[in-house]
Amino acid sequence: MFYVLLACFGCLSGITAVLFGFGGGFVVVPLLYRMLTASHGADDPVGQSAMHIAVATSTCVMIVNALIATVKHHRARNLIRHYVWPLGGFIGLGAVVGAIAAMGASSEVIRYGFIVYLGVTILDLSLINMSEPARPAEIGYAGVGLIT
C-alpha cells in the first residue's frame, strides 16, 4: 500500500512541478513526514526525526537536480562563470549554517518552519499577475507531468 501511495504522490509531484514550477518538496515532505510517523510511531527515533528526514530527503533531491541542470547548462555554454561562481560560496555557507541550525532545532520547529515557508510561497504565487492565458506549450508540458 505504501508503494502505491508513493507512486500516486510521485505523479502529483510531477504535475505540480510542471504546472507551477515547484512541487516536489511541497508534496513529498508532508507525505514522507506522515508515512514515517505512521509506520514507526511517535516514540520511535525515526518517528521523532521524521521531519528532519523528510526535509533532508527533499534537499538531496534538489541538490541532484540542480547539479544535473548545471552540468547541462555548462555543456550548452549557457553559464557565465563570473556571475555563477561567486554564488557557490554563499550557497555553501547557507548550507552549512542551515545544517547546523537544523541539527539544533526540534522536529516541531522544522515542521512549523516548513508550514510558514508553504504559506509565504502560496501568498507569493497568489500575488503574481495571472492575466496572461496559458500557452499551448505549457499545457502540453502539463500532460508530460502526468506521465513522469
Side-chain angles (χ1 to χ4, degrees):
M1 180 61 186
F2 280 143
Y3 294 112
V4 173
L5 195 60
L6 286 172
C8 290
F9 276 93
C11 289
L12 178 63
S13 177
I15 292 167
T16 58
V18 170
L19 290 176
F20 305 117
F22 63 88
F26 282 33
V27 174
V28 173
V29 169
L31 173 69
L32 284 176
Y33 173 75
R34 186 67 182 135
M35 289 182 76
L36 288 169
T37 55
S39 64
H40 291 279
D43 296 333
D44 189 73
V46 172
Q48 292 174 351
S49 300
M51 196 64 187
H52 286 82
I53 295 167
V55 170
T57 301
S58 179
T59 303
C60 286
V61 170
M62 285 189 289
I63 290 169
V64 170
N65 288 338
L67 182 63
I68 291 170
T70 302
V71 167
K72 285 187 175 190
H73 280 287
H74 177 68
R75 287 183 182 159
R77 300 189 187 277
N78 292 333
L79 297 178
I80 302 171
R81 284 187 174 209
H82 64 276
Y83 288 151
V84 175
W85 290 116
L87 294 174
F90 293 113
I91 292 169
L93 179 64
V96 169
V97 170
I100 291 170
M103 287 189 316
S106 71
S107 188
E108 288 297 308
V109 169
I110 302 279
R111 190 168 134 240
Y112 287 122
F114 184 76
I115 292 168
V116 168
Y117 171 70
L118 285 177
V120 169
T121 303
I122 290 168
L123 180 65
D124 181 46
L125 289 173
S126 68
L127 298 176
I128 291 175
N129 184 3
M130 302 297 270
S131 62
E132 294 182 30
R135 294 178 290 214
E138 292 170 345
I139 294 169
Y141 291 144
V144 173
L146 284 168
I147 298 168
T148 61

